[in-house]
Amino acid sequence: MIQIVTDSTCDLDKDAAARLGIHIIPLTLHFGDSAYVDGVTLDRETFYDMLSRADKLPTTSQLNPMDILDVVSPMLEQGDEVIGIFLSSKLSGTFQSATIAAAMSESDRFHLVDSKNVTFGLALLVQVACRCRGEGQSAAQIIDTLENLKGRVRLVAMVDTLKYLQMGGRISAASAVMGSLLGINPLVGVIDGAVEAIGKARGHKAAFRHILTLCGQDAPDPDYPIFFGHTHAPEAMEELKNLLLPTLDQPAEIYSAEIGSVIGTHVGPGAAGLAYIAG
């Protein structure tokens, strides 16, 4: 059997994990002196409520090798192949921990993929891996598919507020005040495994039109799913979907999810975006 393991920054919930037959290892989030297990002892609604009242951003602890081995070792002991697909090595030390865990396991059946992505970009690759497994591909074939596709993943989102970018030190207080007065909505994306600013627009509609333009210039491959996400803003996500989907070739599948604590911490509530595999 081929087992697929990922971390909670993929933002797939328990129902999705059960449907896909995957194992999600949760990271730990720290609000001050309090620690919460992502998606286990801290749900999305509670997280965004706490974030809205925080005067300092929470921090996230990377997985350590034993966190990963505790999940993977029983699979290896029963003879399974394990594919671990983790968030970008540029965003966390979790992938390095997975590399150490793989060496400690002393097994050639524990395979790793550095997704170079996070949140619904990572979820997209996990979905593809599950589809490949369902088609009967071997572990080696699935890994080869993911390695070939991960550079084609495009993730872009509109940020609703500048508050959390300022709190995280990504923009100055003066820039945040001026941007808020002008109604500026930054656009962020994952570029070569890191989250980067890729543009800005005045207002939601202009931001979504900018995303529409980007998708027109680098169109989704309809053979693969499209994954939409939001930070406690389902209405904004639906607005983006309604604008974008009529302009695209019908994708193989469409998924959506609420973005969790790792990316949600830095962009705050109100963000909406998508991830897809470019043609």
Side-chain angles (χ1 to χ4, degrees):
M1 179 181 293
I2 297 174
Q3 303 277 8
I4 295 173
V5 177
T6 187
D7 62 76
S8 61
T9 69
C10 71
D11 294 333
L12 293 167
D13 61 22
K14 293 178 181 178
D15 290 341
R19 172 175 55 82
L20 292 168
I22 62 173
H23 304 267
I24 299 175
I25 308 176
L27 277 70
T28 300
L29 192 74
H30 301 270
F31 270 99
D33 296 329
S34 300
Y36 302 88
V37 182
D38 186 25
V40 178
T41 61
L42 183 65
D43 60 36
R44 299 288 187 260
E45 185 169 354
T46 303
F47 163 71
Y48 282 109
D49 178 62
M50 293 173 65
L51 182 65
S52 69
R53 294 182 283 107
D55 54 12
K56 184 179 180 181
L57 293 184
T59 59
T60 305
S61 294
Q62 67 189 50
L63 296 179
N64 66 53
M66 291 310 301
D67 293 329
I68 298 167
L69 279 177
D70 286 346
V71 173
V72 170
S73 292
M75 302 173 185
L76 297 174
E77 289 170 3
Q78 66 188 19
D80 293 343
E81 298 266 356
V82 179
I83 301 174
I85 311 168
F86 295 99
L87 81 159
S88 173
S89 59
K90 291 189 176 181
L91 298 175
S92 168
T94 289
F95 185 77
Q96 180 61 29
S97 292
T99 302
I100 295 170
M104 293 171 64
S105 76
E106 298 182 341
S107 173
D108 60 2
R109 288 179 284 106
F110 184 13
H111 316 282
L112 298 177
V113 176
D114 180 354
S115 72
K116 298 295 185 183
N117 270 277
V118 71
T119 190
F120 41 101
L122 172 56
L124 178 59
L125 290 173
V126 171
Q127 297 271 3
V128 170
C130 292
R131 187 174 79 173
C132 292
R133 180 179 61 180
E135 293 171 350
Q137 291 189 26
S138 67
Q141 288 173 319
I142 295 171
I143 293 163
D144 187 56
T145 296
L146 296 179
E147 291 293 344
N148 287 328
L149 289 180
K150 69 184 187 182
R152 292 167 51 193
V153 174
R154 306 290 183 262
L155 188 157
V156 59
M158 177 274 300
V159 177
D160 182 58
T161 173
L162 298 171
K163 172 183 175 181
Y164 301 93
L165 294 174
Q166 177 198 344
M167 289 175 67
R170 293 180 180 270
I171 61 173
S172 68
S175 294
V177 170
M178 183 59 68
S180 297
L181 289 173
L182 295 174
I184 296 297
N185 292 108
L187 296 173
V188 297
V190 174
I191 307 297
D192 192 29
V195 179
E196 305 283 354
I198 60 173
K200 58 185 177 181
R202 295 186 68 174
H204 284 196
K205 293 187 182 300
F208 289 156
R209 286 196 297 271
H210 193 157
I211 293 175
L212 182 66
T213 299
L214 293 174
C215 291
Q217 295 169 346
D218 198 11
D221 186 333
D223 289 338
Y224 296 98
I226 291 180
F227 213 111
F228 290 89
H230 66 94
T231 57
H232 211 49
E235 299 86 357
M237 182 185 71
E238 290 301 320
E239 182 182 351
L240 176 60
K241 287 171 68 173
N242 292 336
L243 176 68
L244 186 62
L245 288 177
T247 71
L248 303 176
D249 292 334
Q250 182 65 33
E253 297 162 295
I254 300 170
Y255 299 102
S256 59
E258 186 166 20
I259 297 169
S261 60
V262 174
I263 294 299
T265 290
H266 298 287
V267 301
L274 78 156
Y276 62 90
I277 293 174

